[in-house]
Amino acid sequence: MSDTATSAYALNISIVLDTICPWCYVGKRRVEKAVALAKQKWPEFEATIDYMPFQLDSSMENGLDKREVYRKKFGDRAAAIHERVSIAGKEEGITFSFGGKMSNTLGSHRLIDYARLESSESQEKAVESLLHRYFELEQDIGDENVLLDAAQDAGLDRAKTKAYLDSDDGIDAVKQKIKHGQKLGITGVPFYIINDRYGISGAETPETFLEAFEKVINCQKEKNCQDSI
């Protein structure tokens, strides 16, 4: 197979998320399943995944009671919403727990960005650890010690990461990435950008993601790509 044909099977997937968004956790799992299905279907398939920041509430303070935040936002609908998310989570191997503290997510996004400087694998592990700690262990990802534990899970040096988080490094970069997403018209998460052109909104099923991958692959083969799928 020619290099041109092979390159048609190479996708860059940017996952836009906030670390306090439960559907972002579900969506992450579903994308991973879709990538595994794609590799079974097309041996040449390659996917590079990175993460872009989004803040559901950039003005949020730290250490808020999570259940109280949900009550104020969703009222009587909170229990039904949590049940729906929990059912979806179980299908993806996630055990959601909705207690604990909720904090501003800027620090967690800085950690994810910092991990990316090490490697895409470190970034992936940082994202996974943050989501697991927040949604399953009820840990406060606005707490620096929790961030540092997640950094260690990602293979990062704890002392160096602490020095980074204690500085102003990376703050402007994360905010610029958030603004970039807004300029692209992203108003909610999860959101997925394939090859910097194609957008998918919401935690779709693995099969839906696979269909989207196939559309992108086909248009790349035919060199007749549209701006959306």
Side-chain angles (χ1 to χ4, degrees):
M1 182 172 288
S2 70
D3 289 342
T4 301
T6 302
S7 65
Y9 292 89
L11 302 185
N12 295 312
I13 305 169
S14 293
I15 300 178
V16 188
L17 56 69
D18 198 1
T19 45
I20 57 171
C21 161
W23 286 108
C24 293
Y25 199 4
V26 173
K28 177 179 181 294
R29 285 280 196 273
R30 290 177 176 176
V31 167
E32 290 167 351
K33 283 185 176 180
V35 168
L37 289 172
K39 288 181 178 178
Q40 291 175 9
K41 187 170 185 177
W42 307 292
E44 318 89 320
F45 182 85
E46 292 183 3
T48 301
I49 297 176
D50 67 359
Y51 296 87
M52 286 178 56
F54 184 95
Q55 286 196 285
L56 294 167
D57 183 358
S58 61
S59 65
M60 181 181 290
E61 299 177 356
N62 288 338
L64 302 179
D65 182 272
K66 195 187 297 185
R67 294 189 187 277
E68 183 64 14
V69 173
Y70 289 142
R71 186 190 67 79
K72 288 181 178 178
K73 184 173 183 179
F74 301 117
D76 294 338
R77 297 182 297 125
I81 291 170
H82 289 165
E83 182 179 6
R84 180 168 170 250
V85 172
S86 295
I87 291 171
K90 285 182 180 179
E91 293 176 353
E92 306 305 334
I94 302 167
T95 303
F96 279 105
S97 185
F98 296 100
K101 301 294 184 181
M102 182 183 293
S103 293
N104 192 294
T105 58
L106 181 63
S108 64
H109 287 302
R110 289 179 65 212
L111 174 60
I112 292 168
D113 237 25
Y114 181 68
R116 185 175 184 271
L117 298 176
E118 182 70 24
S119 67
S120 58
E121 181 181 3
S122 293
Q123 186 185 43
E124 155 65 26
K125 288 181 178 179
V127 172
E128 182 67 26
S129 179
L130 288 166
L131 295 174
H132 172 65
R133 290 175 179 279
Y134 180 73
F135 285 113
E136 299 188 78
L137 303 183
E138 296 189 351
Q139 294 184 0
D140 180 5
I141 56 173
D143 184 317
E144 187 179 76
N145 284 322
V146 174
L147 293 177
L148 294 175
D149 288 342
Q152 284 190 286
D153 290 342
L156 303 177
D157 181 270
R158 190 180 185 95
K160 290 180 180 178
T161 305
K162 185 179 188 311
Y164 172 82
L165 294 174
D166 287 344
S167 73
D168 292 332
D169 292 349
I171 294 176
D172 288 342
V174 168
K175 289 182 176 180
Q176 285 300 316
K177 289 181 180 181
I178 292 172
K179 287 181 180 179
H180 176 65
Q182 292 170 341
K183 288 179 180 178
L184 293 176
I186 299 171
T187 58
V189 286
F191 195 90
Y192 311 86
I193 304 170
I194 304 176
N195 286 8
D196 294 322
R197 293 176 63 107
Y198 309 94
I200 303 173
S201 179
E204 296 287 355
T205 65
E207 292 74 20
T208 299
F209 282 117
L210 185 64
E211 289 174 5
F213 295 167
E214 187 164 17
K215 288 181 181 179
V216 175
I217 289 168
N218 287 339
C219 84
Q220 290 184 155
K221 283 191 205 176
E222 298 165 5
K223 298 183 179 180
N224 183 28
C225 299
Q226 302 299 317
D227 288 335
S228 61
I229 55 177

